[in-house]
């Protein structure tokens, strides 16, 4: 369906829907889609869970707690490390025949370079379309959100990853909403050479068991996702599109993430300025989410006789509803 096709720099995606990192694993967890042709064809790209240089066990349990309008997680970037990912998991996702974006994180700038160099040396540009640099995880002691809230670190990390990768892979930088002004780390990532921005990762939060007074999560605090955070995500996409000329000129595309659970939510993100969207928590609730949203979008563009790309950022030309 041509009207749903979007371009992420030089990569054409047949649909604007991507998985949000960490919500469909590295390969096994998304196997469910293999049994559903329609769900798979609704996807434009697959984004892996974060991969790190060495394996990580993640945080103590409990790691997920439900809230009234979303979930709090404190997974702590559990994964088997980059070598195991390349050797044992990558081949499964390749069967999906979709562009793959490998989400990466590290404890230090040096480790980010090492990870990028490993991926570059192993000729992974033949199989992976790009990297999503996660400088926004709220659930780890070193790196993560502490990088993402410091524009200088964001710029350095992106610059160093870019140096190792050359122009072989598309670089997406994933931003944290745990800042006062999202445009500052966004600008820093662009200065560092990012090709695209994705936003938002989870918002810091916590939940307490009132019977005992204990925090529910093993990591004490966690990251909030799901419907509660959608207005924050839409606002942050809107702000970047409004204040950063590279975004409004669509030279730096934005991937909108956070709380999407219907096709209407996708349109909000696109009208705010996103080119592509990521869906995470909603998939835990509805295994047919990609198919359902794809059908809704298809009906919408057919009825309006418009392509999705023509709607990117249109809210910036509109006045508030009651004016
Ligand atoms: C259980 C869980 C694990 C996650 N793991 C990662 C991760 O490994 N790397 C990452 O960049 N984001 C991770 N995220 C954040 C999501 O990619 C996404 O940014 C966030 O959940 C907001 O989208 P949503 O409301 O659609 O879930 C995780 C989110 C959840 C709920």
């Amino acid at each position: 369906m041509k009207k749903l096709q979007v371009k992420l720099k030089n990569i054409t995606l047949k649909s604007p829907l991507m998985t949000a990192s960490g919500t469909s694993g590295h390969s096994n967890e998304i196997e469910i889609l293999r049994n559903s042709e329609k769900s798979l064809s609704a996807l434009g790209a697959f984004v892996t869970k974060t991969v790190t240089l060495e394996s990580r066990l993640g945080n103590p349990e409990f790691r997920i707690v439900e809230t009234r309008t979303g979930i709090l997680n404190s997974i702590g970037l559990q994964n088997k490390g980059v070598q195991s990912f390349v050797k044992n998991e990558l081949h499964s996702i390749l069967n999906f025949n979709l562009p793959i974006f490998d989400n990466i994180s590290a404890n230090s700038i040096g480790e980010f370079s090492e990870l990028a160099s490993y991926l570059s040396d192993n000729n992974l540009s033949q199989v992976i379309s790009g990297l999503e640099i996660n400088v926004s995880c709220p659930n780890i002691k070193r790196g993560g959100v502490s990088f993402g809230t410091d524009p200088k670190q964001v710029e350095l990390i992106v610059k160093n990853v870019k140096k190792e990768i050359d122009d072989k892979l598309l670089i997406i930088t994933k931003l944290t909403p745990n800042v006062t002004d999202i445009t500052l780390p966004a600008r820093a990532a662009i200065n560092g050479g990012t090709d695209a921005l994705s936003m938002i990762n989870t918002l810091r939060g916590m939940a307490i068991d009132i019977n005992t007074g204990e925090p529910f999560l093993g990591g004490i605090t966690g990251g909030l996702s799901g419907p509660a955070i959608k207005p924050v995500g839409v606002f942050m996409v809107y702000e970047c599109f409004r204040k950063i000329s590279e975004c409004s000129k669509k030279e730096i595309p934005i991937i909108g993430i956070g709380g999407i659970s219907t096709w209407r939510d996708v349109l909000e993100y696109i009208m705010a300025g996103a080119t592509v969207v990521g869906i995470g928590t909603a998939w835990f609730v509805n295994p047919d989410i990609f198919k359902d949203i794809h059908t809704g979008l298809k009906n919408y563009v057919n009825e309006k006789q418009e392509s999705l790309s023509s709607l990117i950022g249109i809210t910036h030309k509109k006045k508030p509803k009651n004016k």
Side-chain angles (χ1 to χ4, degrees):
M1 154 78 16
K2 271 251 156 73
K3 286 193 193 117
L4 291 187
Q5 233 177 44
V6 285
K7 278 203 98 167
L8 202 51
K9 299 294 269 196
N10 56 352
I11 304 173
T12 302
L13 308 185
K14 66 178 191 292
S15 144
L17 311 180
M18 316 206 307
T19 53
S21 174
T23 56
S24 41
H26 296 104
S27 60
N28 295 351
E29 294 86 338
I30 202 174
E31 280 293 309
I32 186 175
L33 288 186
R34 200 193 292 285
N35 302 324
S36 167
E37 255 320 296
K38 284 199 178 136
S39 286
L40 203 52
S41 61
L43 269 182
F46 178 75
V47 182
T48 71
K49 176 160 181 63
T50 295
V51 174
T52 52
L53 198 56
E54 307 294 341
S55 65
R56 291 178 60 96
L57 287 174
N59 290 339
E61 292 178 337
F62 296 120
R63 291 171 161 197
I64 290 199
V65 55
E66 243 181 272
T67 72
R68 218 170 294 149
T69 50
I71 58 171
L72 276 168
N73 91 79
S74 169
I75 309 291
L77 302 186
Q78 180 184 351
N79 77 101
K80 292 180 182 156
V82 69
Q83 288 190 24
S84 168
F85 167 69
V86 171
K87 197 163 149 229
N88 305 318
E89 302 184 287
L90 190 55
H91 59 90
S92 295
I93 338 169
L94 289 177
N95 293 338
F96 289 165
N97 220 1
L98 284 172
I100 298 166
F101 294 97
D102 186 22
N103 181 301
I104 57 167
S105 181
N107 291 324
S108 64
I109 294 178
E111 228 181 72
F112 263 113
S113 295
E114 230 180 296
L115 190 50
S117 146
Y118 179 88
L119 293 165
S120 180
D121 289 351
N122 283 278
N123 272 332
L124 289 182
S125 54
Q126 321 265 333
V127 285
I128 290 177
S129 299
L131 298 180
E132 182 175 53
I133 306 176
N134 178 2
V135 281
S136 44
C137 179
N139 300 321
I140 51 174
K141 289 203 180 80
R142 289 163 63 207
V145 88
S146 64
F147 284 149
T149 51
D150 179 348
K152 277 199 198 105
Q153 302 269 5
V154 172
E155 183 172 339
L156 262 179
I157 289 168
V158 178
K159 218 175 239 168
N160 278 278
V161 169
K162 186 95 180 169
K163 198 161 78 191
E164 298 297 337
I165 292 295
D166 259 337
D167 279 329
K168 285 189 261 176
L169 293 167
L170 189 103
I171 304 281
I172 303 166
T173 308
K174 183 164 182 183
L175 302 178
T176 174
N178 298 294
V179 288
T180 320
D181 183 355
I182 188 80
T183 64
L184 300 180
R187 164 53 58 205
I190 294 170
N191 291 347
T194 201
D195 299 302
L197 296 167
S198 60
M199 61 195 75
I200 53 176
N201 207 317
T202 53
L203 275 153
R204 273 192 156 149
M206 84 181 282
I208 293 170
D209 180 348
I210 56 158
N211 293 312
T212 62
E214 295 161 337
F216 265 115
L217 291 169
I220 303 179
T221 60
L224 182 65
S225 62
I229 72 167
K230 194 196 77 189
V232 181
V234 170
F235 163 68
M236 293 194 162
V237 168
Y238 182 86
E239 277 292 272
C240 287
F241 196 91
R242 184 168 78 90
K243 290 193 179 156
I244 301 177
S245 65
E246 291 91 332
C247 293
S248 49
K249 286 187 206 145
K250 298 173 202 156
E251 291 161 8
I252 301 288
I254 303 174
I255 300 159
I257 313 169
I260 294 173
S261 47
T262 69
W263 61 269
R264 290 183 175 85
D265 297 338
V266 174
L267 286 178
E268 259 190 80
Y269 268 103
I270 287 180
M271 289 176 180
T275 297
V276 180
V277 296
I279 300 169
T281 303
W283 198 46
F284 299 159
V285 182
N286 173 10
D288 288 329
I289 191 82
F290 295 111
K291 185 178 67 178
D292 291 352
I293 290 185
H294 191 268
T295 306
L297 289 175
K298 201 167 67 183
N299 293 342
Y300 178 87
V301 292
N302 277 339
E303 195 187 310
K304 299 275 178 195
Q305 301 277 325
E306 274 179 299
S307 71
L308 215 53
S309 330
S310 66
L311 300 174
I312 298 170
I314 62 159
T315 301
H316 296 268
K317 296 186 191 126
K318 308 274 177 180
K319 294 202 170 86
K321 215 168 170 37
N322 63 352
K323 292 270 161 66

